[in-house]
Amino acid sequence: MSKRIEVKDLNVYYGKFKAVEDVSLTIEPRTVTAFIGPSGCGKSTFLRTLNRMHEVIPGASVQGEVLIDGKNLYDADVDPVMVRRQVGMVFQRPNPFPTMSIKDNVLAGVKLNNGKISKSDADHLVEKSLKGANLWKEVRDRLDLPGSGLSGGQQQRLCIARAIAVSPEVILMDEPCSALDPISTLAIEDLIEELKAKYTIVIVTHNMQQASRVSDKTAFFNIAGTGEPGKLIEFDDTTTIFENPHVQATEDYISGRFG
Amino acid sequence: MSALVVPAPTSARQLSKPTLWLTAGVSAFVAFGVFGVLMAAGISEGFNIVAAVFASAILFVLLSYVMSRIVEGRRKAADRLATGLVTTAFIVALLPLISLIWTALVNGLPRFDALFFSSSMRNVVGEGGGGLHAIIGTLEITLAATIISVPIGIMTAIYLVEYGKGRLAKAITFFVDVMTGIPSIVAGLFAFALFAIFFGPGIRFGIGGAVALSILMIPVVVRSTEEMLKLVPNELREASYALGVPKWLTIVKIVIPTAIGGIITGVMLSISRIIGETAPLLIIVGMSTSMNYNLFSDRMATLPVFVYTQYASQGSDAQAYIDRAWTGALVLILIVMALNLIARLVSKLLAPKGLR
């Protein structure tokens, strides 16, 4: 169900400004890959190119190839909407739909896309997704209340439940814990560990301990200076990156000498 | 002795509530007294209550400033002065409104009876008669104008916020702003000229009025809807895109439901804006003394024009005409008030719980 992502010579632009330069890497199925690096180095921008969310921003464009199981996402005949159904995303700030109940939030992707789903199927999917996101026990008796009434950590897990309800192949997480307290962060990290069994997960994080805790592979991005494009400096097993990095900049960053 | 001097706690001396109430009482007494004397001396005709309230407010602000300056010190006094000035400005803004509603009530109530709401002016000279035909006309024409303007206005706003970029969007925004400033008489003349092309000169019918009013209404709907759509956080749109929901569905199912409360309020306000228009209706709809339910043929009566004609061409029993005019104005105010209340209720009911 999960898929391999291959990125080849990818350049990302905002208008004329080149934000990310020449990234090539391969993400294996059923692994967790963490992107780390200083602010503005283009890791979130790069993440968003993996499900074509990047082009939602006016003027943004991409050069190069992103292959998911050999199929280039940026081929002319690929519909970005179909890409996003395969590659789900969880954002930095929890963003449940304020007009919808908890249940409808989970069902949002399914209901908005093809409209009809039988009640028993819907109930089943809600339970499965919320259990998948470790939220079922906390919300099962208030499924019809608005999702915005939950705590920040619960909202974020609701967003994860919403993302896995459309059964994607890959889940992208853009600093999913940066707005959360340590307890909620722990809950999300445990969840990532469980989700790994089924999905390919890519996570952007500013928290290096988090990267070392949850990920199998780590990619370090860096930026030469303001106005320069961000680059992929090193991509390797997480243990290698944190214990025995090959590039000096990586070591400087993870040992806290800059950043 | 320690070198550190602990600053004294803020001055314990404060003006107490009773003192302030007393000051307010004294100010009111003096102001009302002065105006009472003026009236008694025959300098002013009758007791000018508006001026008296205003003078009391000013006097109270000045008195409390001086007292506070003496007792509480400069900072507190400045605070009181600023609070007082802001409050007085609010009262100044409110006085004409209250006065207007009061006048409309006093003059409008005598004919605010069953007869007014059950009869037209057909074959009425002098006493009796009513404004039912005008109420129906106003409601029909306003409803038609709303049906024309709301879809156009909302769709324009959606285009501007969600799709529009570059010159076209800028041009539309510019012309919408220009349209907001079109004098209503020009809208009336436009509709008249437009329909004269098709139906010959001298055409008068309700739908023409609706078209003229929608020219005034569309820019207001566009503007308010645009603001509401801009308030919808971009994160919600992105969340929806990330679920693989196409853009148009995102707009219909996520963006509009999130903003619906504000959009409805905007629409209701734009209705209030046009329901009292007189000039365009005078030109393209004309006036009638009889009931006309049909928007598409013949002249119709509308409340604003009803008020105008009752007042402008008084018959043999002038007072009866003036009374009907006031009652017409009162009914118009009440309709606008009711619309605003409904708008508030609806937007409260529909507003998403998390956002407000």
Side-chain angles (χ1 to χ4, degrees):
Chain A
M1 150 145 199
S2 59
K3 297 195 172 179
R4 176 200 308 267
I5 307 171
E6 278 174 89
V7 182
K8 287 183 186 164
D9 304 325
L10 195 77
N11 294 302
V12 191
Y13 296 87
Y14 288 109
K16 291 216 171 82
F17 173 68
K18 192 191 254 187
V20 178
E21 188 174 64
D22 217 11
V23 175
S24 300
L25 51 75
T26 303
I27 295 166
E28 296 295 331
R30 283 185 219 88
T31 55
V32 178
T33 304
F35 292 171
I36 59 171
S39 290
C41 70
K43 44 191 191 319
S44 292
T45 303
F46 176 62
L47 186 78
R48 289 165 65 97
T49 59
L50 299 183
N51 68 342
R52 296 191 65 169
M53 280 298 288
H54 175 64
E55 64 199 45
V56 169
I57 298 161
S61 62
V62 169
Q63 248 176 27
E65 288 187 336
V66 178
L67 304 168
I68 292 194
D69 273 6
K71 174 76 182 156
N72 185 7
L73 295 188
Y74 288 90
D75 272 352
D77 61 337
V78 174
D79 181 0
V81 169
M82 299 315 293
V83 171
R84 292 176 200 139
R85 286 184 198 173
Q86 282 182 31
V87 185
M89 189 160 188
V90 177
F91 295 84
Q92 184 169 4
R93 276 178 51 197
N95 51 4
F97 299 125
T99 47
M100 297 183 187
S101 66
I102 292 173
K103 186 174 163 185
D104 287 340
N105 259 293
V106 177
L107 293 174
V110 179
K111 270 194 177 169
L112 293 182
N113 283 330
N114 35 22
K116 295 235 161 57
I117 178 168
S118 76
K119 200 182 169 306
S120 60
D121 282 357
D123 288 342
H124 183 69
L125 181 63
V126 168
E127 184 172 342
K128 196 180 110 196
S129 308
L130 285 172
K131 274 182 176 159
N134 260 338
L135 192 62
W136 174 249
K137 278 182 202 149
E138 289 156 70
V139 298
R140 65 177 162 205
D141 43 5
R142 45 175 168 156
L143 290 175
D144 291 320
L145 296 182
S148 42
L150 299 172
S151 77
Q154 289 172 328
Q155 285 188 19
Q156 192 63 299
R157 277 178 282 153
L158 178 60
C159 292
I160 294 177
R162 183 175 67 184
I164 58 183
V166 290
S167 40
E169 323 273 354
V170 180
I171 300 176
L172 309 178
M173 298 187 176
D174 189 356
E175 296 178 39
C177 303
S178 65
L180 304 181
D181 68 300
I183 305 286
S184 308
T185 303
L186 186 68
I188 304 263
E189 285 180 8
D190 289 346
L191 178 58
I192 291 173
E193 198 58 40
E194 287 168 28
L195 292 176
K196 197 171 88 172
K198 282 198 213 158
Y199 306 94
T200 306
I201 294 173
V202 184
I203 177 172
V204 166
T205 177
H206 270 297
N207 182 332
M208 280 179 275
Q209 285 78 25
Q210 181 170 59
S212 67
R213 279 194 301 262
V214 300
S215 69
D216 306 307
K217 292 241 186 182
T218 300
F220 172 61
F221 287 79
N222 201 1
I223 186 170
T226 340
E228 300 285 317
K231 286 183 182 168
L232 175 65
I233 304 295
E234 193 170 354
F235 177 57
D236 215 326
D237 289 338
T238 300
T239 43
T240 316
I241 290 273
F242 279 91
E243 283 160 22
N244 189 17
H246 297 294
V247 183
Q248 185 62 35
T250 315
E251 192 179 340
D252 289 350
Y253 184 73
I254 58 167
S255 58
R257 238 165 279 164
F258 84 98
Chain B
M1 276 228 354
S2 158
L4 281 173
V5 179
V6 179
T10 44
S11 163
R13 296 177 64 191
Q14 278 198 333
L15 289 177
S16 64
K17 275 256 162 73
T19 327
L20 287 172
W21 279 113
L22 192 70
T23 321
V26 170
S27 321
F29 182 76
V30 171
F32 278 75
V34 167
F35 279 94
V37 169
L38 282 180
M39 183 186 65
I43 298 172
S44 65
E45 265 181 57
F47 187 75
N48 194 338
I49 187 155
V50 174
V53 169
F54 182 60
S56 329
I58 293 286
L59 205 59
F60 172 68
V61 171
L62 291 178
L63 268 180
S64 58
Y65 175 72
V66 170
M67 283 165 55
S68 168
R69 185 75 198 256
I70 295 166
V71 182
E72 294 176 321
R74 231 181 89 195
R75 192 177 58 77
K76 275 265 182 183
D79 180 34
R80 281 196 195 283
L81 184 68
T83 315
L85 285 180
V86 171
T87 316
T88 314
F90 167 70
I91 293 174
V92 168
L94 214 60
L95 278 177
L97 255 180
I98 295 173
S99 161
L100 185 149
I101 290 173
W102 179 251
T103 319
L105 267 178
V106 168
N107 294 307
L109 277 180
R111 277 305 318 278
F112 198 80
D113 48 23
L115 186 62
F116 188 87
F117 291 97
S118 60
S119 61
S120 69
M121 287 296 292
R122 193 177 177 84
N123 298 331
V124 175
V125 272
E127 270 184 34
L132 181 64
H133 60 317
I135 296 174
I136 295 290
T138 284
L139 292 181
E140 274 188 18
I141 290 176
T142 310
L143 183 71
T146 311
I147 290 173
I148 297 172
S149 322
V150 167
I152 298 178
I154 291 185
M155 284 185 203
T156 308
I158 290 176
Y159 172 78
L160 286 177
V161 176
E162 305 288 340
Y163 293 95
K165 45 190 151 206
R167 288 217 182 137
L168 182 61
K170 270 190 192 141
I172 293 177
T173 311
F174 176 72
F175 284 114
V176 165
D177 282 350
V178 172
M179 270 174 83
T180 340
I182 289 182
S184 55
I185 185 84
V186 176
L189 287 170
F190 165 77
F192 189 69
L194 175 72
F195 286 107
I197 295 173
F198 300 112
F199 302 98
I203 178 73
R204 297 269 199 297
F205 56 3
I207 197 74
V211 168
L213 291 184
S214 40
I215 292 171
L216 300 169
M217 189 170 174
I218 287 170
V220 186
V221 176
V222 173
R223 267 301 184 198
S224 57
T225 310
E226 205 185 336
E227 292 310 315
M228 286 304 134
L229 293 179
K230 277 184 189 160
L231 281 183
V232 175
N234 228 357
E235 295 159 4
L236 294 182
R237 296 186 181 93
E238 294 202 330
S240 175
Y241 296 151
L243 289 171
V245 180
K247 186 163 186 170
W248 70 274
L249 258 180
T250 302
I251 294 168
V252 174
K253 295 280 180 70
I254 304 291
V255 177
I256 292 181
T258 310
I260 191 73
I263 294 176
I264 289 177
T265 312
V267 167
M268 289 295 186
L269 286 178
S270 67
I271 293 176
S272 321
R273 156 85 177 74
I274 55 133
I275 200 169
E277 281 298 343
T278 321
L281 299 181
L282 204 53
I283 294 177
I284 177 72
V285 184
M287 182 58 193
S288 160
T289 52
S290 319
M291 181 63 85
N292 174 11
Y293 289 106
N294 191 352
L295 274 174
F296 297 93
S297 79
D298 291 332
R299 294 151 198 257
M300 279 178 108
T302 47
L303 270 174
V305 182
F306 172 81
V307 172
Y308 168 73
T309 47
Q310 290 295 314
Y311 191 80
S313 47
Q314 297 162 7
S316 52
D317 183 358
Q319 191 56 43
Y321 283 80
I322 293 175
D323 282 349
R324 278 194 296 263
W326 276 112
T327 308
L330 180 62
V331 171
L332 197 54
I333 293 175
L334 289 179
I335 291 177
V336 172
M337 251 184 206
L339 282 177
N340 273 297
L341 284 178
I342 293 171
R344 288 191 155 226
L345 212 70
V346 169
S347 70
K348 205 169 227 173
L349 286 179
L350 291 181
K353 275 96 199 157
L355 278 190
R356 269 149 245 234

